[in-house]
Amino acid sequence: MSDETNKTEERKSLNFIEQIVEKNLAEKLNDGRLQTRFPPEPNGYLHIGHAKAVCMDFGIAQKYGGVCNLRFDDTNPTKEDVEYVDAIREDIKWLGFEWGNEYYASDYFQQLYDFAVDLIKKGHAYVDEQTSQQIADQKGTPTTPGTDSPYRNRPVEESLDLFQRMNAGEFPEGAMTLRAKIDMASSNMHFRDPIIYRIIHTPHHRTGTSWHVYPMYDFAHGQSDYFEGVTHSICTLEFVPHRPLYDYFIDLLKPQESNYRPRQYEFNRLNLTYTMMSKRKLLALVQQGLVAGWDDPRMPTLCGYRRRGYTPEAIRNFIDKIGYTKYDGMIDVALLEHAVREDLNKRATRVAAVLDPIKLVITNYPEGQTEQFDAINNPEDEAAGTHKVTFARELYIEREDFMEDAPKKYFRLSPGREVRLQSAYIVSCTGCAKDDQGNVTEVYAEYLPETLSGRSDSARKCKGTIHWVSCTDAVDVEVRLYDRLFIDEDPSAVEGKELAELLNPDSLKVLHNCKAEPFLLQGKAGDSYQFKRVGYFSPDIDSTKEKPVFNRTVSLKDTWKKVVAKE
Ligand code: ATP
Ligand code: MG
């Protein structure tokens, strides 16, 4: 391949924002600087949608030698909390990124206030004493102009005095607002004299009671970018119509002679099937007790996924696969699960655990005898080594691995049929015992001593292999099986239903009597296991040696599609 072809191939794989950044760097825009920021509002935990933004903001700075700062857009003290600030920091680090500086929009409250005063003085802002409802009613529609507020042309001195007194705490919340005086007939609704300051008396988690007026997001975001020196302000598509407003304020703020200004670029937000991502809805799930908390393993939050056993690599690979575009869409959550399987297949330690145990007695194996066999930790990774498993006369197997009257193609245990016990012998089933109701209570088999796995010269083959654990050293574990939290493919679009009615009643199944090999007790939160033939699992954060608890991270295969098709 020629160098030229190589270059074109590389170009093609760049996303549109990378192309813009490369072009800007080449033309030495902003003196060749690249500065981005990730700007969460600390009013909730980060979710998988935020991960998409994090990977873009941090990823692009990393790739092109720029810097990405973390900025908390903390302009609404009624909804924000330090709990969220701490969690956001932790989640970004877990995803594998580091920020340059840590900033807060609240650090700019004085600068923003001074700018607002300046706008009033220059006739670009006024205090409006109408209610927010009255203001909304005067907005007009995209095709008809709005109506001027009766306060629109009040004297500058009056607005200055009122704004200062608003901040001194003289007026109740809602009594008045500061509005930018722009254009009530603009085709962009955001230009129709937007509210830029409101009165809030709730103390702020960083500035306490210093302020009684707080800037609206649209009056803080663009200017904060400017104060920090952000070059590429990357966000999601819903901010496209806000961009001209941010540019308008920056034109009024920056010195005429300066060439520097932040530029905003927008990409498509992540929407996932069977998932809700709005922080408001996630908070409602937590507050209504519909989930166990922000880190419930069914939540689409990063802390929820972490607890469930998703790895940061899997999430980053997923984000990489779906890419960045300029149109909104919906991504199948199966794609995320696929990325998780792909990653765990490479790293998960293989173990045996029986979720629905029934006893298998090897009647020709001497009582009291045990043998130690080597089980391979990970066939995908030779360096992962092996661990010992104990074989004995009595074992646990899955109830579904025995059938008394089995169809021809059932390659598991059934009277007269042979099966391999993984890492051990081939056994031949001889029958079973039942209780009064006809339920199978024990299964019987004889082992073929010359068929030991890996050590046998015997040509004997059988079609099925099943997993097992020995009754002599099996440990009891609790297993939590998770499924999709919502029934509907697009739960956010369902109207007229309470949140609780949208939930999948089978999203959590707890199994109390599972049996696992003792090797599993070494596991700690964050470790990944493949329960052979069953799925991927990870110890819960509350798991202890005395009471081990495992979360199912993801099933071994995508069974969901088949289930839905059958129904
Ligand atoms: P939500 O709507 O879930 O409450 P938000 O947009 O209000 O989220 P912020 O804390 O303001 O949350 O978001 C911080 C950054 O994350 C913003 O740049 C925002 O564009 C981005 N972001 C939020 N949700 C998504 C998403 N679903 N996909 C991609 N980026 C997102
Ligand atoms: Mg927001």
Side-chain angles (χ1 to χ4, degrees):
M1 217 190 290
S2 74
D3 267 9
E4 272 311 301
T5 335
N6 252 331
K7 265 187 208 149
T8 345
E9 298 254 309
E10 200 181 305
R11 275 226 82 78
K12 263 190 210 151
S13 66
L14 293 180
N15 65 49
F16 74 99
I17 294 182
E18 289 169 331
Q19 291 183 18
I20 291 167
V21 166
E22 283 201 0
K23 180 169 164 288
N24 292 164
L25 290 177
E27 61 200 16
K28 295 267 182 286
L29 189 70
N30 300 310
D31 304 324
R33 275 192 318 114
L34 171 63
Q35 184 175 327
T36 61
R37 82 288 169 268
F38 175 62
E41 185 181 354
N43 61 352
Y45 284 66
L46 295 187
H47 53 57
I48 183 86
H50 291 117
K52 179 170 176 177
V54 167
C55 289
M56 167 56 82
D57 295 331
F58 286 90
I60 204 152
Q62 220 168 44
K63 180 166 178 179
Y64 294 104
V67 63
C68 177
N69 298 313
L70 173 58
R71 181 175 73 239
F72 291 102
D73 263 329
D74 54 349
T75 52
N76 185 355
T78 64
K79 299 215 171 114
E80 296 157 6
D81 199 276
V82 278
E83 173 196 347
Y84 301 130
V85 170
D86 294 341
I88 289 169
R89 281 201 201 104
E90 186 184 348
D91 289 345
I92 295 172
K93 283 192 203 145
W94 178 71
L95 266 185
F97 296 104
E98 272 174 51
W99 49 95
N101 290 314
E102 183 173 309
Y103 292 128
Y104 293 80
S106 54
D107 292 339
Y108 315 127
F109 280 170
Q110 187 64 53
Q111 277 161 285
L112 290 167
Y113 182 88
D114 293 344
F115 179 44
V117 168
D118 195 48
L119 290 184
I120 300 174
K121 284 184 181 161
K122 291 184 173 143
H124 294 309
Y126 59 96
V127 169
D128 194 332
E129 292 173 51
Q130 299 183 101
T131 63
S132 54
Q133 188 55 52
Q134 283 169 317
I135 293 174
D137 292 344
Q138 292 165 356
K139 267 262 146 123
T141 70
T143 47
T144 54
T147 312
D148 284 3
S149 160
Y151 299 96
R152 193 171 202 262
N153 293 314
R154 78 190 319 164
V156 165
E157 287 313 316
E158 234 176 76
S159 284
L160 277 179
D161 175 60
L162 286 171
F163 187 50
Q164 184 269 320
R165 287 164 60 200
M166 278 163 71
N167 192 39
E170 285 189 30
F171 308 114
E173 292 184 5
M176 49 191 81
T177 56
L178 184 68
R179 292 177 74 182
K181 186 174 176 178
I182 313 181
D183 179 3
M184 287 306 289
S186 173
S187 57
N188 184 332
M189 300 294 282
H190 297 287
F191 275 71
R192 296 190 181 178
D193 291 10
I195 296 175
I196 56 174
Y197 264 92
R198 60 201 155 155
I199 301 171
I200 296 177
H201 295 306
T202 308
H204 186 278
H205 68 102
R206 295 190 81 234
T207 58
T209 53
S210 305
W211 299 92
H212 293 275
V213 290
Y214 287 87
M216 300 299 290
Y217 185 83
D218 274 355
F219 192 70
H221 190 81
Q223 288 96 294
S224 300
D225 282 345
Y226 176 79
F227 295 143
E228 287 167 9
V230 168
T231 58
H232 295 74
S233 176
I234 308 169
C235 63
T236 36
L237 285 169
E238 71 272 22
F239 291 103
V240 169
H242 299 246
R243 188 195 330 135
L245 182 64
Y246 300 167
D247 285 340
Y248 168 85
F249 287 133
I250 286 173
D251 281 333
L252 290 172
L253 181 62
K254 80 180 200 41
Q256 289 244 307
E257 64 281 8
S258 161
N259 286 327
Y260 161 69
R261 66 180 312 136
R263 285 175 176 78
Q264 178 175 301
Y265 302 95
E266 308 88 3
F267 63 83
N268 61 327
R269 6 177 3 103
L270 172 62
N271 300 306
L272 271 183
T273 56
Y274 302 100
T275 310
M276 268 194 192
M277 228 112 66
S278 137
K279 279 185 280 186
R280 195 170 51 80
K281 298 270 177 58
L282 298 181
L283 178 65
L285 286 172
V286 174
Q287 284 176 336
Q288 293 174 30
L290 298 171
V291 293
W294 284 97
D295 69 345
D296 186 303
R298 291 167 295 177
M299 290 281 270
T301 50
L302 297 182
C303 55
Y305 286 132
R306 175 162 68 235
R307 182 166 182 181
R308 182 156 167 169
Y310 282 33
T311 59
E313 291 83 358
I315 292 176
R316 292 203 307 262
N317 289 342
F318 164 71
I319 302 286
D320 208 42
K321 265 190 201 132
I322 59 174
Y324 297 86
T325 70
K326 289 197 231 186
Y327 45 89
D328 275 315
M330 177 78 87
I331 300 286
D332 191 336
V333 72
L335 213 61
L336 172 61
E337 289 160 1
H338 176 75
V340 173
R341 271 185 211 106
E342 212 172 45
D343 184 59
L344 293 182
N345 181 46
K346 282 184 266 164
R347 68 175 74 236
T349 305
R350 272 58 168 177
V351 294
V354 176
L355 301 197
D356 184 14
I358 188 169
K359 214 179 248 188
L360 169 70
V361 184
I362 318 284
T363 50
N364 62 340
Y365 195 84
E367 266 186 71
Q369 177 176 314
T370 58
E371 285 174 273
Q372 297 268 305
F373 299 141
D374 291 318
I376 293 167
N377 284 339
N378 187 349
E380 305 288 319
D381 173 13
E382 237 170 73
T386 60
H387 69 275
K388 296 283 181 203
V389 292
T390 307
F391 188 79
R393 179 184 160 90
E394 296 197 348
L395 311 171
Y396 291 114
I397 59 168
E398 298 283 355
R399 186 169 288 275
E400 63 169 28
D401 283 339
F402 172 78
M403 215 182 212
E404 203 175 10
D405 292 311
K408 216 168 169 201
K409 294 229 155 129
Y410 183 79
F411 301 119
R412 295 181 253 174
L413 282 172
S414 187
R417 297 191 197 182
E418 292 181 1
V419 102
R420 175 168 298 281
L421 298 176
Q422 205 156 42
S423 317
Y425 301 99
I426 292 176
V427 295
S428 172
C429 185
T430 53
C432 65
K434 294 184 199 168
D435 64 14
D436 296 345
Q437 281 90 48
N439 299 315
V440 177
T441 52
E442 273 185 356
V443 179
Y444 302 111
E446 290 179 352
Y447 83 117
L448 311 176
E450 71 282 8
T451 59
L452 186 56
S453 175
R455 287 182 234 164
S456 145
D457 303 328
S458 126
R460 196 149 189 142
K461 292 248 158 27
C462 58
K463 284 208 166 150
T465 299
I466 64 171
H467 64 280
W468 51 274
V469 295
S470 118
C471 297
T472 52
D473 64 356
V475 292
D476 289 319
V477 299
E478 179 181 314
V479 165
R480 298 177 185 166
L481 302 178
Y482 298 102
D483 211 326
R484 284 155 199 188
L485 186 55
F486 294 98
I487 307 169
D488 284 283
E489 188 167 343
D490 187 3
S492 308
V494 180
E495 282 171 24
K497 277 194 185 170
E498 294 292 321
L499 211 42
E501 298 172 275
L502 296 174
L503 298 184
N504 170 10
D506 298 320
S507 64
L508 169 61
K509 265 192 213 129
V510 183
L511 308 178
H512 292 282
N513 298 313
C514 309
K515 305 284 183 186
E517 45 175 304
F519 175 68
L520 253 193
L521 291 183
Q522 295 174 16
K524 52 184 191 317
D527 290 349
S528 310
Y529 291 97
Q530 186 196 94
F531 290 5
K532 288 182 274 200
R533 300 176 63 227
V534 179
Y536 292 100
F537 291 78
S538 182
D540 188 67
I541 46 174
D542 291 335
S543 182
T544 60
K545 281 208 161 51
E546 292 67 42
K547 189 176 178 293
V549 180
F550 282 77
N551 294 319
R552 181 169 70 191
T553 309
V554 66
S555 57
L556 217 47
K557 297 203 182 78
D558 185 2
T559 52
W560 178 264
K561 286 220 166 85
K562 273 185 251 155
V563 175
V564 172
K566 256 195 261 161
E567 274 168 359

